Amino acid sequence: ESPAAVEEKGEEEESAAEKQQELNGSSAFGATNVEDAADCEPAIKQCCGSEEEAEGGSESELREDKRNEKVLRVIIHSIQGITRETDTTSAVDPFVEVRANSVLLGATQPRQDTTSAVIEEAFFIKTEKNPDQLKLKFQLKDQDHMTEHDLIGHGYFDLSEEDMMEKQTVHLKWKGSEVGQLLISVDFQNITIV
């Protein structure tokens, strides 16, 4: 055989060996098939530690790291029986702003053209004060698209004066007259701090 034919035959054998290696699922950089991977397991543990250590600890270690804190949850269940109209051209589009000790917590989504509505929205409070020192203020407003929102009425829920906190009625007043009601609940929830 000529030297060129021998060289060509050698390249073909190397190419065939590479193709067979690919078909077997192994490469020059490490094992990829199941049998070869099992042989590497002791070396992986020695190098990298156990699977749990590689992922940052066992479940029991993770559980010890978490802390729970209590927060106060205020739920507005519904608005009922709005009697005061603020616009002459359209029906009331009510929403409720919620405050705790004069701090605005947020507002519910406006409901369109109604005097009663199911709300089911929650607000959460984390306070360093004793929760009995909180006084909740609810301002019922009418959403206006062209001018400022109109105040329909407001009401209070003083946690220091209430024994029951589930499904309580807050009477909303305007200039001494009742103009509607809210159905609310107040409770404590545990949240996980990570």
Side-chain angles (χ1 to χ4, degrees), residues 47-59:
C47 167
C48 304
S50 70
E51 222 177 275
E52 289 175 347
E53 290 170 354
E55 291 177 1
S58 67
E59 278 191 36

Side-chain angles (χ1 to χ4, degrees), residues 116-169:
S116 295
V118 174
I119 304 294
E120 296 301 335
E121 290 185 39
F123 300 89
F124 296 86
I125 306 164
K126 181 179 179 274
T127 180
E128 294 177 5
K129 295 181 179 185
N130 182 340
D132 288 345
Q133 296 175 337
L134 291 176
K135 187 173 188 178
L136 302 174
K137 181 178 183 179
F138 301 93
Q139 290 186 310
L140 179 63
K141 293 187 173 184
D142 180 14
Q143 181 187 38
D144 280 333
H145 300 285
M146 303 300 271
T147 62
E148 281 190 36
H149 305 306
D150 298 317
L151 179 65
I152 296 173
H154 62 272
Y156 298 93
F157 191 82
D158 192 338
L159 275 67
S160 66
E161 296 177 3
E162 301 295 334
D163 293 328
M164 288 287 300
M165 296 203 194
E166 188 174 336
K167 301 222 174 169
Q168 295 296 304
T169 300

Side-chain angles (χ1 to χ4, degrees), residues 57-140:
S58 67
E59 278 191 36
S60 62
E61 289 175 19
L62 293 175
R63 284 192 200 117
E64 291 173 13
D65 289 344
K66 74 178 183 182
R67 294 186 338 253
N68 288 323
E69 287 193 23
K70 280 191 175 186
V71 293
L72 190 69
R73 177 176 69 165
V74 179
I75 304 168
I76 300 178
H77 298 290
S78 63
I79 301 169
Q80 303 163 355
I82 299 172
T83 58
R84 181 170 181 259
E85 293 183 12
T86 58
D87 291 332
T88 55
T89 57
S90 66
V92 176
D93 301 324
F95 69 96
V96 180
E97 286 184 352
V98 182
R99 297 175 187 271
N101 292 357
S102 302
V103 176
L104 179 64
L105 302 177
T108 63
Q109 294 295 314
R111 303 308 195 263
Q112 301 301 310
D113 300 327
T114 187
T115 57
S116 295
V118 174
I119 304 294
E120 296 301 335
E121 290 185 39
F123 300 89
F124 296 86
I125 306 164
K126 181 179 179 274
T127 180
E128 294 177 5
K129 295 181 179 185
N130 182 340
D132 288 345
Q133 296 175 337
L134 291 176
K135 187 173 188 178
L136 302 174
K137 181 178 183 179
F138 301 93
Q139 290 186 310
L140 179 63

